[in-house]
Amino acid sequence: GVASTTGGADRDMTAWEILKEPGFLSFCVVLFVFAGCLWIPMTFIANYATKDAGLSANDAAALVSYTGVASTTGRVAFGRLSKWIPQLVLLQGSVLVSGLAILLLGVAPPSYFVLALHAILFGFFSGSTIALLAPIIIGLVGLRNLPVAFGIAACVQAPGVLIAPPLGGALRDATGVMTWTFIVPGAMMVLSSALVWAIPAPRHS
């Protein structure tokens, strides 16, 4: 790869050089889609729980708690699993299951069970994805270039975070139901998991 021939891990790289590293651009695309889709259930789940599933405000608040606890658990669990399973395999699985958890909201009838299952799966695997970002970036460009590369990763996530929730709300207004607000981002996240195949195995540590 570029870094192995130019010594990218042993020197400070520019942002442009980092973007040209094999697989880093694909990684950024995955992050852009993931970050945007991540905020769809976070933005709409409480309202969906009370208005569509008919849950109480307390039950809706509990769903948010389930997501938070599962997210913390997932980060710890995947930190341990990454000792035995390649980080990119874990990333692909996490993005895939996170997308399926969002799709679940769009295809299954709203109920406490469905929303609780979504909250636990989504929290566990989306939290795991976030925990894998820094180790994967280090594997792509080396520890020395982590600050710049992580900054780039944060920048590519920001537009998705800003754009996705309003688009989700627009879909809700246009269709009158929440179905497509969950199906579209869920499908996009599932498809984006395939891009992980374009990210090369870590070359640095």
Side-chain angles (χ1 to χ4, degrees):
V2 173
S4 60
T5 58
T6 62
D10 301 320
R11 65 183 177 86
D12 293 328
M13 300 169 67
T14 65
W16 180 243
E17 287 175 319
I18 290 173
L19 285 170
K20 292 193 294 182
E21 279 289 289
F24 193 82
L25 194 58
S26 296
F27 182 61
C28 287
V29 173
V30 173
L31 291 183
F32 171 79
V33 175
F34 175 80
C37 298
L38 177 73
W39 282 95
I40 291 295
M42 290 185 174
T43 302
F44 297 105
I45 190 67
N47 186 68
Y48 182 67
T50 54
K51 292 190 175 180
D52 293 73
L55 303 184
S56 67
N58 286 338
D59 286 340
L63 294 173
V64 178
S65 299
Y66 297 161
T67 300
V69 172
S71 177
T72 301
T73 305
R75 295 175 197 223
V76 174
F78 271 56
R80 302 290 293 179
L81 287 173
S82 64
K83 295 182 178 181
W84 302 287
I85 302 174
Q87 293 165 353
L88 290 176
V89 173
L90 293 175
L91 175 68
Q92 187 168 46
S94 294
V95 174
L96 175 63
V97 178
S98 295
L100 291 174
I102 299 175
L103 275 173
L104 177 66
L105 294 178
V107 300
S111 67
Y112 184 81
F113 174 77
V114 168
L115 269 65
L117 179 61
H118 157 81
I120 293 169
L121 287 175
F122 182 73
F124 186 89
F125 286 97
S126 64
S128 304
T129 301
I130 295 169
L132 291 168
L133 298 188
I136 290 174
I137 290 174
I138 292 172
L140 291 173
V141 300
L143 179 61
R144 184 167 183 168
N145 294 295
L146 175 62
V148 175
F150 201 91
I152 294 171
C155 286
V156 300
Q157 292 177 74
V161 173
L162 291 173
I163 294 170
L167 289 178
L171 271 175
R172 167 66 177 83
D173 293 342
T175 62
V177 294
M178 289 295 297
T179 303
W180 293 103
T181 298
F182 295 128
I183 288 179
V184 171
M188 289 178 63
M189 192 178 282
V190 168
L191 291 174
S192 73
S193 69
L195 284 176
V196 177
W197 289 112
I199 304 173
R203 299 182 300 281
H204 312 297
S205 59

